[in-house]
Amino acid sequence: MLPEPRHRARTRLSAWSTGPRRTAALLSVLALIVLGIVGGLTIGRMSDTPATAAEPGPAVLGPLTGPPTLYGRVRQVVDPATVVVEVQGRPVRVSVIGVDTSSTPACARAGAQQFAERFLGGQEVTLVPDPTLPATAADAPAWPAYLVVGTQQSYTDAALVAGWVDPGRGRYRPGFENGQRIAQEQRAGMWGPPCNRTS
Protein backbone atom coordinates (compact mmCIF):
# COMPACT_ATOMS: atom_id res chain seq x y z
CA MET A 1 0.00 0.00 0.00
CA LEU A 2 1.33 3.35 -0.99
CA PRO A 3 1.66 6.04 1.67
CA GLU A 4 -0.85 8.86 1.56
CA PRO A 5 0.21 12.06 0.02
CA ARG A 6 1.52 14.49 2.62
CA HIS A 7 -1.09 17.12 1.86
CA ARG A 8 -3.95 14.64 2.52
CA ALA A 9 -2.46 13.52 5.93
CA ARG A 10 -2.13 17.15 7.01
CA THR A 11 -5.76 17.73 6.07
CA ARG A 12 -6.98 14.86 8.29
CA LEU A 13 -4.80 16.00 11.20
CA SER A 14 -6.05 19.56 10.90
CA ALA A 15 -9.65 18.39 10.84
CA TRP A 16 -9.13 16.34 14.03
CA SER A 17 -7.33 19.16 15.87
CA THR A 18 -9.99 21.77 15.12
CA GLY A 19 -13.13 19.66 14.79
CA PRO A 20 -15.86 18.67 17.22
CA ARG A 21 -13.79 15.86 18.74
CA ARG A 22 -11.05 18.28 19.71
CA THR A 23 -13.57 20.71 21.23
CA ALA A 24 -15.26 17.95 23.27
CA ALA A 25 -11.91 16.70 24.56
CA LEU A 26 -10.83 20.18 25.63
CA LEU A 27 -14.14 20.79 27.44
CA SER A 28 -13.79 17.46 29.28
CA VAL A 29 -10.28 18.31 30.45
CA LEU A 30 -11.38 21.79 31.52
CA ALA A 31 -14.33 20.34 33.52
CA LEU A 32 -11.99 17.92 35.30
CA ILE A 33 -9.63 20.76 36.23
CA VAL A 34 -12.49 22.86 37.65
CA LEU A 35 -13.84 19.91 39.66
CA GLY A 36 -10.37 19.27 41.06
CA ILE A 37 -9.97 22.89 42.17
CA VAL A 38 -13.39 23.01 43.83
CA GLY A 39 -12.84 19.67 45.55
CA GLY A 40 -9.46 20.78 46.84
CA LEU A 41 -10.91 23.98 48.29
CA THR A 42 -13.70 22.03 50.00
CA ILE A 43 -11.28 19.53 51.53
CA GLY A 44 -9.06 22.40 52.67
CA ARG A 45 -11.94 24.11 54.45
CA MET A 46 -13.00 20.86 56.10
CA SER A 47 -9.48 20.25 57.41
CA ASP A 48 -9.10 23.82 58.72
CA THR A 49 -12.43 23.84 60.59
CA PRO A 50 -12.79 21.64 63.67
CA ALA A 51 -15.72 19.29 63.55
CA THR A 52 -18.55 20.51 65.73
CA ALA A 53 -22.10 19.34 66.29
CA ALA A 54 -24.76 21.36 64.55
CA GLU A 55 -25.89 24.17 66.83
CA PRO A 56 -29.60 24.02 67.64
CA GLY A 57 -31.69 26.86 66.36
CA PRO A 58 -33.83 29.03 68.63
CA ALA A 59 -36.76 27.29 70.28
CA VAL A 60 -40.01 27.74 68.43
CA LEU A 61 -42.83 28.86 70.71
CA GLY A 62 -46.50 28.77 70.00
CA PRO A 63 -48.68 31.81 70.58
CA LEU A 64 -48.70 33.06 74.14
CA THR A 65 -51.87 32.25 76.03
CA GLY A 66 -51.98 35.13 78.45
CA PRO A 67 -51.12 38.80 78.83
CA PRO A 68 -47.70 39.86 80.14
CA THR A 69 -46.80 40.27 83.79
CA LEU A 70 -47.66 43.78 84.99
CA TYR A 71 -46.60 45.92 87.95
CA GLY A 72 -48.64 48.47 89.84
CA ARG A 73 -49.88 49.81 93.16
CA VAL A 74 -53.08 48.76 94.88
CA ARG A 75 -55.47 51.72 95.05
CA GLN A 76 -58.62 50.00 96.31
CA VAL A 77 -59.57 46.67 97.86
CA VAL A 78 -63.12 46.20 96.58
CA ASP A 79 -63.50 42.84 98.37
CA PRO A 80 -61.15 39.98 99.34
CA ALA A 81 -61.20 38.68 95.75
CA THR A 82 -61.24 41.97 93.79
CA VAL A 83 -58.83 44.92 93.85
CA VAL A 84 -58.10 47.99 91.75
CA VAL A 85 -54.45 48.36 90.81
CA GLU A 86 -52.96 51.43 89.16
CA VAL A 87 -50.79 50.21 86.29
CA GLN A 88 -48.85 52.86 84.35
CA GLY A 89 -51.29 55.52 85.51
CA ARG A 90 -54.41 53.55 84.59
CA PRO A 91 -56.75 51.73 87.00
CA VAL A 92 -57.02 47.99 86.35
CA ARG A 93 -59.71 45.97 88.09
CA VAL A 94 -58.17 42.63 89.08
CA SER A 95 -59.93 39.40 89.95
CA VAL A 96 -57.50 37.54 92.23
CA ILE A 97 -56.81 34.02 90.94
CA GLY A 98 -57.27 31.23 93.45
CA VAL A 99 -59.48 33.23 95.80
CA ASP A 100 -63.13 32.18 96.17
CA THR A 101 -65.33 34.12 98.60
CA SER A 102 -68.65 32.57 97.57
CA SER A 103 -68.63 30.26 100.62
CA THR A 104 -67.29 32.77 103.14
CA PRO A 105 -70.00 33.01 105.82
CA ALA A 106 -71.44 36.39 106.76
CA CYS A 107 -69.77 36.19 110.17
CA ALA A 108 -66.33 36.13 108.48
CA ARG A 109 -66.80 38.74 105.75
CA ALA A 110 -65.68 41.71 107.83
CA GLY A 111 -62.55 39.87 108.97
CA ALA A 112 -61.79 38.79 105.39
CA GLN A 113 -62.11 42.39 104.17
CA GLN A 114 -59.88 43.71 106.94
CA PHE A 115 -57.23 41.08 106.20
CA ALA A 116 -57.24 41.95 102.49
CA GLU A 117 -56.93 45.68 103.19
CA ARG A 118 -54.06 45.17 105.65
CA PHE A 119 -52.22 42.84 103.29
CA LEU A 120 -52.77 44.70 100.00
CA GLY A 121 -53.71 48.32 100.75
CA GLY A 122 -51.24 50.70 99.04
CA GLN A 123 -48.82 47.87 98.23
CA GLU A 124 -46.75 47.66 95.08
CA VAL A 125 -47.73 44.36 93.52
CA THR A 126 -46.84 42.13 90.60
CA LEU A 127 -49.83 40.97 88.59
CA VAL A 128 -49.05 37.46 87.36
CA PRO A 129 -51.40 35.81 84.84
CA ASP A 130 -52.16 32.10 84.76
CA PRO A 131 -51.82 30.74 81.20
CA THR A 132 -53.65 27.54 82.17
CA LEU A 133 -56.92 29.44 82.56
CA PRO A 134 -59.12 30.40 79.59
CA ALA A 135 -58.23 33.66 77.90
CA THR A 136 -60.10 36.68 79.19
CA ALA A 137 -62.42 38.53 76.82
CA ALA A 138 -61.34 42.06 75.90
CA ASP A 139 -64.48 43.52 77.50
CA ALA A 140 -64.25 41.45 80.71
CA PRO A 141 -64.99 43.49 83.85
CA ALA A 142 -61.79 42.32 85.58
CA TRP A 143 -58.39 40.98 84.64
CA PRO A 144 -57.53 37.68 86.44
CA ALA A 145 -54.11 37.60 88.07
CA TYR A 146 -52.17 36.46 91.09
CA LEU A 147 -51.05 39.34 93.31
CA VAL A 148 -47.50 39.11 94.64
CA VAL A 149 -46.26 41.75 97.11
CA GLY A 150 -42.72 43.03 97.53
CA THR A 151 -41.79 40.26 99.98
CA GLN A 152 -42.56 37.77 97.17
CA GLN A 153 -45.56 36.46 99.10
CA SER A 154 -48.71 35.60 97.18
CA TYR A 155 -51.88 37.18 98.52
CA THR A 156 -53.81 34.05 97.51
CA ASP A 157 -51.65 31.82 99.70
CA ALA A 158 -51.77 34.25 102.60
CA ALA A 159 -55.58 34.62 102.51
CA LEU A 160 -56.06 30.85 102.41
CA VAL A 161 -53.70 30.14 105.32
CA ALA A 162 -55.35 32.95 107.28
CA GLY A 163 -58.64 31.14 106.78
CA TRP A 164 -60.68 33.88 105.14
CA VAL A 165 -61.31 32.44 101.67
CA ASP A 166 -61.73 29.15 99.84
CA PRO A 167 -59.40 27.89 97.09
CA GLY A 168 -60.47 28.90 93.60
CA ARG A 169 -59.37 27.83 90.14
CA GLY A 170 -55.79 28.06 89.02
CA ARG A 171 -52.61 26.25 88.12
CA TYR A 172 -51.66 25.89 91.79
CA ARG A 173 -54.95 24.53 93.11
CA PRO A 174 -53.27 21.67 95.07
CA GLY A 175 -51.20 24.27 96.92
CA PHE A 176 -54.33 26.35 97.58
CA GLU A 177 -56.05 23.33 99.11
CA ASN A 178 -53.03 22.69 101.31
CA GLY A 179 -53.23 26.28 102.56
CA GLN A 180 -56.88 25.78 103.44
CA ARG A 181 -56.04 22.61 105.38
CA ILE A 182 -53.52 24.57 107.43
CA ALA A 183 -56.22 27.13 108.28
CA GLN A 184 -58.65 24.37 109.27
CA GLU A 185 -56.11 22.69 111.53
CA GLN A 186 -55.20 25.98 113.19
CA ARG A 187 -58.84 27.06 113.37
CA ALA A 188 -57.89 30.35 111.71
CA GLY A 189 -60.26 32.92 110.25
CA MET A 190 -63.69 31.53 109.49
CA TRP A 191 -62.64 28.08 110.80
CA GLY A 192 -62.39 29.48 114.32
CA PRO A 193 -64.69 31.58 116.53
CA PRO A 194 -67.13 33.14 116.09
CA CYS A 195 -67.92 31.31 112.83
CA ASN A 196 -66.43 27.89 113.59
CA ARG A 197 -67.03 26.76 110.05
CA THR A 198 -66.76 22.99 109.74
CA SER A 199 -66.70 22.35 106.02
Side-chain angles (χ1 to χ4, degrees):
M1 184 175 176
L2 295 174
E4 290 184 356
R6 288 185 181 179
H7 69 278
R8 191 175 294 177
R10 283 192 196 126
T11 303
R12 286 188 179 175
L13 181 61
S14 299
W16 185 89
S17 62
T18 59
R21 289 182 184 176
R22 172 76 174 168
T23 303
L26 287 175
L27 288 176
S28 298
V29 171
L30 183 60
L32 289 174
I33 292 172
V34 170
L35 288 174
I37 292 172
V38 171
L41 289 175
T42 303
I43 293 171
R45 284 180 186 167
M46 290 173 64
S47 61
D48 293 341
T49 306
T52 56
E55 294 183 8
V60 178
L61 298 176
L64 297 178
T65 56
T69 299
L70 300 175
Y71 305 93
R73 185 177 294 277
V74 175
R75 292 303 182 198
Q76 181 187 1
V77 178
V78 179
D79 59 55
T82 311
V83 298
V84 177
V85 180
E86 184 178 320
V87 179
Q88 298 178 356
R90 297 176 57 188
V92 176
R93 191 177 181 92
V94 178
S95 173
V96 184
I97 298 174
V99 172
D100 181 4
T101 58
S102 62
S103 298
T104 302
C107 56
R109 288 179 190 156
Q113 182 69 21
Q114 290 168 5
F115 176 84
E117 289 175 353
R118 282 196 309 270
F119 194 92
L120 294 172
Q123 292 287 324
E124 287 190 353
V125 293
T126 303
L127 281 63
V128 183
D130 188 333
T132 66
L133 295 177
T136 307
D139 59 349
W143 188 68
Y146 298 102
L147 294 182
V148 180
V149 297
T151 60
Q152 301 303 305
Q153 188 175 13
S154 164
Y155 165 68
T156 300
D157 293 334
L160 286 163
V161 171
W164 296 116
V165 299
D166 285 319
R169 297 185 310 156
R171 168 69 177 82
Y172 306 103
R173 171 91 188 193
F176 302 159
E177 292 171 347
N178 186 54
Q180 185 180 55
R181 280 192 294 273
I182 293 171
Q184 290 170 327
E185 292 169 1
Q186 297 180 351
R187 298 187 60 78
M190 61 183 161
W191 304 102
C195 296
N196 296 313
R197 181 178 162 187
T198 58
S199 63

